[in-house]
Each structure stands twice: as structure tokens, then as C-alpha cells.
Amino acid sequence: MALWKLIVKRSGVINGVRLEKGMSIEMTTMSSSNPLTCNLSQNAPQISRLFENKYGVDLMKGHLVTSGYLESERIS
């Protein structure tokens, strides 16, 4: 099990979704693999849901759950 911090890389309105650089969430994964590069189809809904719960933005709507818009940092 691993704990990850996912951080928005840059500010802007992309596909109708407003993002601010530095917005971040923490999530756990069952494997030690990066959630943005491994099993993204399974991780994307959870990542989007966490951002929506914290900031009220739907990353799935804007197709923003990618390494192009988010960076990941393993915490533990």
C-alpha cells in the first residue's frame, strides 16, 4: 500500500474546468505504482472524485486526469 499526493501543475480553465496551480489531494493505492501511469482507467474516477470532494471540480469532465495536468509524489 502506498500514499500519493497528486498536485495540479498549472492554473487555467481547461475544457470548462477551472484549476489552480498547487491544488492537491492525497490518495492511497494498493500497489506502489504511480497512479497516473499505472492502471489509470481504474484510478481516474477515484482521483476525480477526491478533487471534486475537496475543490468542487470534476476532472473527468475536462479529461484532466493525466500526467500532463497532474504530477504525483509518493509520500510513503
Side-chain angles (χ1 to χ4, degrees):
M1 197 171 230
L3 179 62
W4 293 88
K5 184 174 186 176
L6 302 174
I7 308 160
V8 174
K9 290 182 178 182
R10 59 183 178 268
S11 298
V13 178
I14 301 115
N15 298 330
V17 178
R18 176 75 180 153
L19 295 178
E20 291 293 332
K21 181 178 181 177
M23 289 174 137
S24 67
I25 53 105
E26 292 180 359
M27 71 177 288
T28 57
T29 58
M30 294 304 292
S31 72
S32 60
S33 301
N34 185 335
L36 290 176
T37 59
C38 188
N39 295 324
L40 185 58
S41 62
Q42 291 177 329
N43 293 326
Q46 180 185 6
I47 293 168
S48 181
R49 193 169 41 255
L50 289 168
F51 270 96
E52 190 162 5
N53 289 342
K54 188 171 182 180
Y55 298 107
V57 296
D58 185 359
L59 298 187
M60 292 293 284
K61 174 185 168 195
H63 307 286
L64 303 172
V65 184
T66 67
S67 58
Y69 296 105
L70 302 173
E71 62 182 83
S72 57
E73 175 183 306
R74 185 169 176 180
I75 297 174
S76 67

